[in-house]
Amino acid sequence: MHRALCPVETLYVGQRSRAFLSCTLRGRVDVEALSAAFDAVTEENPTLRSCIVPDGAGYALRLLGEDERPRLLTRTGDADEAYAAELNRTLPLGGPLTRAVLVSSPDGEGHLFVLLVDHAVTDGHSSIALHNALWDRYRALAGGERTAPAESAVRAEPRWPEPVSRLLPPADEADTAKYLDGRLEEVRRNPVELMPYDVPRPSAGGPDGDGAGDGHIEVCRLTMDKEHTDLLRRTARQSGVSVHSLIAAAMLTAARRRLDGDGPRTLGCLSPVDLRSRLSPPLPATDMVPAVTTHLQTLQVSGSSDPLDLARTVHNRLGDFIARGDQFHEMRITPEIPRNPALQLATVVVTNMGVVPGPRLPDGLRADDVRLAPAREQYFPQAGRSPLLACVVSFEGRLSIEFPHYTACFSPSFAAAFRDDVLDGLLAFASTAAPEHAPANPT
């Protein structure tokens, strides 16, 4: 049983990127119930029990046999070491498109749960929805409930989710071609500067240093407590911008500080744009497909640029882009990216998951932390420069930004200093929040 990948989904095959969700847990975990819950959600989602196979000039999803399906993996070990190991463990092409791992402390009270999903069949919203659905199923099973399989799990034929590129509103091919011509002219006139790697290109047989040699993926993390997250939201609201635009401005400012001189430089900001809520009818987050496009804008940023002015520019341009419906054109031209990579080339990439709920767990088990980060197989240290990526999400109202980087490109010390610079910028924004007005007639 096969389902062909559309041209947009096919792009992710070459990227070999994956969503990396994790949560740290305290309390006892019923491993049998968790294993059954993972089996149930993979049974309900055929893309999760599939592999990618060649299909003519493209690729297709093929259902795995019963003995090939992904199953929950369990072991005992250290949570930090397990996080680093799983972050760097790939989802090989031709193998299962998801992996679930539970790593427990020797006393059985501390755990790290990791869920990886290939980006060819997911995006941030659907991977978080899957993670929460798995724990919903676990909670029911651990509580002794018998849960009926979803309709999709009892069909004779799997219900493959429809590619988002086939759900877009109708468009004239001439309009799409005109939009593409305009985008190509824009990137030709405004080439953006990328961030030079701070790790020297490794020579053959050279010694490994701080990030030299073959390299590996690390994630540098920025977190804000609920109080400062609320202050940042208040600043955004009072300034008429989004939190996303404040983060983008802090990223652009931090990036500019790492370029020579003080005059204006052309920097690019790439913002992923969710399509699920903008389709008619809306696409549920539970549909396991990548349903995201991007908005690229270029800005002249100098050493003296006002970060709030940058935020207003980012916010207004992104809002105009969506109001025009250009997100649909952007999705239609996505297959052109391999021939014209500048269409998505930016100095900074700032995702925007918004505020999302964490997993609901049974009594006796709590989640101390939930994280979402992207990872991929190739980082191309030979390129000498690349965008800087920030994966932004607020679990349970607390802002978290993950900065994944490859140590043969950006050293851990570079990533930590950049993270600290962005945090300083966000705290400066938060400090400008005016007190909320008290009600005129308090009761």
Side-chain angles (χ1 to χ4, degrees):
M1 298 179 185
H2 289 65
R3 193 274 247 173
L5 295 180
C6 77
V8 172
E9 294 169 332
T10 298
L11 288 180
Y12 291 103
V13 178
Q15 292 178 2
R16 304 305 309 128
S17 57
R18 53 198 181 271
F20 185 84
L21 269 156
S22 67
C23 62
T24 54
L25 305 160
R26 294 298 303 175
R28 291 287 172 176
V29 173
D30 183 332
V31 174
E32 183 177 348
L34 184 58
S35 180
F38 182 64
D39 289 346
V41 296
T42 54
E43 182 64 35
E44 293 167 3
N45 294 278
T47 53
L48 299 179
R49 46 191 173 92
S50 302
C51 64
I52 296 173
V53 296
D55 181 45
Y59 292 91
L61 299 173
R62 175 184 67 81
L63 282 181
L64 295 167
E66 188 66 21
D67 59 342
E68 302 174 288
R69 286 179 51 169
R71 307 290 183 183
L72 175 70
L73 304 174
T74 61
R75 66 177 186 268
T76 300
D78 177 78
D80 291 339
E81 293 177 358
Y83 184 93
E86 292 300 328
L87 182 65
N88 284 274
R89 186 177 166 204
T90 64
L91 291 171
L93 188 63
L97 299 179
T98 186
R99 181 168 75 247
V101 183
L102 179 71
V103 180
S104 302
S105 61
D107 64 3
E109 289 292 334
H111 315 269
L112 172 73
F113 177 75
V114 170
L115 179 67
L116 293 93
V117 188
D118 195 300
H119 266 308
V121 297
T122 195
D123 54 21
H125 287 288
S126 57
S127 60
I128 290 173
L130 173 68
H131 183 253
N132 288 343
L134 188 154
W135 286 108
D136 285 344
R137 184 61 60 94
Y138 169 80
R139 190 179 69 255
L141 292 171
E145 296 181 25
R146 294 177 58 87
T147 58
E151 178 190 358
S152 58
V154 297
R155 290 173 179 262
E157 296 289 331
R159 187 193 71 83
W160 298 103
E162 191 76 7
V164 170
S165 59
R166 297 176 189 163
L167 302 176
L168 302 178
D172 188 290
E173 290 185 5
D175 289 340
T176 302
K178 181 179 179 181
Y179 178 84
L180 175 60
D181 289 343
R183 286 279 285 111
L184 291 172
E185 175 62 17
E186 182 182 4
V187 298
R188 185 193 66 78
R189 286 188 289 104
N190 297 294
V192 304
E193 299 201 42
L194 303 182
M195 190 57 49
Y197 297 149
D198 75 311
V199 177
R201 298 185 192 182
S203 59
D208 290 350
D210 183 18
D214 291 336
H216 59 276
I217 307 168
E218 291 191 6
V219 179
C220 191
R221 192 182 190 201
L222 180 162
T223 59
M224 295 181 73
D225 58 26
K226 191 173 185 306
E227 177 185 359
H228 285 91
T229 301
D230 289 343
L231 287 172
L232 191 65
R233 290 202 190 98
R234 190 186 305 172
T235 295
R237 185 168 60 251
Q238 293 171 347
S239 303
V241 299
S242 63
V243 171
H244 168 77
S245 65
L246 295 179
I247 296 170
M251 288 279 291
L252 289 164
T253 302
R256 179 63 188 86
R257 291 195 182 107
R258 283 151 180 81
L259 298 173
D260 295 336
D262 194 54
R265 307 286 280 269
T266 303
L267 306 188
C269 179
L270 190 75
S271 301
V273 177
D274 174 50
L275 291 179
R276 292 177 184 272
S277 62
R278 298 180 171 95
L279 295 171
S280 184
L283 187 69
T286 51
D287 276 26
M288 297 299 297
V289 290
V292 65
T293 188
T294 57
H295 172 248
L296 173 64
Q297 58 178 290
T298 57
L299 305 93
Q300 295 299 309
V301 184
S302 71
S304 59
S305 292
D306 185 326
L308 188 55
D309 287 344
L310 291 175
R312 290 193 176 103
T313 300
V314 171
H315 177 82
N316 292 334
R317 289 181 179 177
L318 180 56
D320 291 345
F321 171 84
I322 294 172
R324 291 192 302 266
D326 284 351
Q327 65 270 19
F328 302 124
H329 278 316
E330 198 70 25
M331 174 65 91
R332 294 186 190 100
I333 70 168
T334 298
E336 295 292 326
I337 291 170
R339 290 184 288 273
N340 298 284
L343 289 169
Q344 282 193 344
L345 206 55
T347 315
V348 298
V349 180
V350 186
T351 72
N352 181 21
M353 290 300 304
V355 179
V356 298
R360 295 186 300 158
L361 302 172
D363 292 340
L365 184 65
R366 74 172 189 272
D368 288 337
D369 195 12
V370 185
R371 302 177 66 174
L372 170 65
R376 53 191 171 95
E377 290 186 17
Q378 299 293 334
Y379 285 85
F380 305 106
Q382 64 272 25
R385 58 193 62 233
S386 76
L388 293 167
L389 171 62
C391 181
V392 184
V393 63
S394 293
F395 283 107
E396 305 297 348
R398 293 180 296 273
L399 180 69
S400 174
I401 306 178
E402 309 278 356
F403 298 92
H405 60 98
Y406 193 63
T407 59
C409 301
F410 294 112
S411 67
S413 58
F414 176 96
F418 187 84
R419 181 268 320 275
D420 293 346
D421 211 357
V422 173
L423 177 59
D424 287 344
L426 296 180
L427 291 175
F429 279 134
S431 69
T432 67
E436 295 283 16
H437 295 296
N441 297 297
T443 58

